[in-house]
Amino acid sequence: MPSVYRQSMGYKWYDGGDAQGLRQGGLPAFNTDNQGRITLSAGELFCRCPGDDGKTLCNNRNKFSSLGALKKHIRGAHQCDVAVSHPGGLTVRDDRLTYEYWRDIYKLAHGTDAVPETPRKAKAVWKDTDLLPIPYVEGEDGPTNVIDYDKMKENVGIEGYDKCTACRT
């Protein structure tokens, strides 16, 4: 099934570029996550990183061939980290959120109040944080590559068990 967001007026306007095929005017800078990394939505093809003056966008207004090429540009030209994205197709929910995102980008660029929030797949957001820090046994020269299971059980709050119920160690 084709993506709903690709058929939206907002995305078609963005994807088409201006009369010369360059990035449209009035677009906002990319959003960032809680770790300061740039978040990219499905379908992003133009760089919207802040320019050197902090007021304008990147001087490169050309359309990139793919999301991967755009990420490479952002990492190389702007020395910015890009938030992890999850491979694979969009779920119906993700597709709908992406549709709403491009609708809000269009509204914002045309002077209507909108606050576009970059949609991200749940699996990509889950990878953002360490759910459980892994403690390592301290050696003479610092941490070793041996996991300290007793410390891990203590961190999780498992007390009074000889073995961890999840992994049987």
Side-chain angles (χ1 to χ4, degrees):
M1 183 170 88
S3 294
V4 172
Y5 82 86
R6 289 188 187 274
Q7 307 308 316
S8 70
M9 180 182 67
Y11 185 75
K12 286 180 178 180
W13 170 81
Y14 169 83
D15 186 42
D18 65 6
Q20 291 82 36
L22 302 175
R23 181 184 64 226
Q24 295 278 8
L27 291 170
F30 289 126
N31 291 335
T32 56
D33 66 6
N34 58 359
Q35 297 177 15
R37 300 174 303 183
I38 291 176
T39 55
L40 298 175
S41 176
E44 293 278 9
L45 295 171
F46 294 98
C47 183
R48 296 188 285 126
C49 285
D52 294 334
D53 62 2
K55 296 178 184 176
T56 60
L57 297 180
C58 174
N59 291 331
N60 186 345
R61 295 183 59 219
N62 294 311
K63 185 177 184 178
F64 287 87
S65 60
S66 66
L67 186 61
L70 176 59
K71 287 180 181 182
K72 185 176 180 180
H73 165 77
I74 291 169
R75 289 182 185 120
H78 300 288
Q79 304 295 309
C80 294
D81 289 330
V82 178
V84 175
S85 58
H86 187 72
L90 297 174
T91 64
V92 172
R93 180 182 178 279
D94 291 333
D95 193 25
R96 185 69 191 167
L97 291 173
T98 304
Y99 171 89
E100 292 170 5
Y101 172 77
W102 289 113
R103 180 197 61 206
D104 290 348
I105 289 288
Y106 178 82
K107 285 181 177 181
L108 192 63
H110 287 83
T112 308
D113 286 341
V115 182
E117 185 176 323
T118 308
R120 296 185 63 211
K121 294 181 182 178
K123 289 183 179 179
V125 175
W126 176 76
K127 292 179 182 178
D128 282 350
T129 59
D130 291 326
L131 298 178
L132 178 65
I134 300 175
Y136 292 96
V137 174
E138 289 290 326
E140 293 176 8
D141 299 326
T144 64
N145 62 349
V146 178
I147 297 174
D148 185 347
Y149 289 103
D150 291 331
K151 184 71 173 170
M152 185 183 289
K153 288 186 273 187
E154 181 182 310
N155 289 347
V156 176
I158 300 173
E159 296 178 16
Y161 292 97
D162 290 334
K163 295 186 178 263
C164 173
T165 57
C167 58
R168 303 285 186 228
T169 57

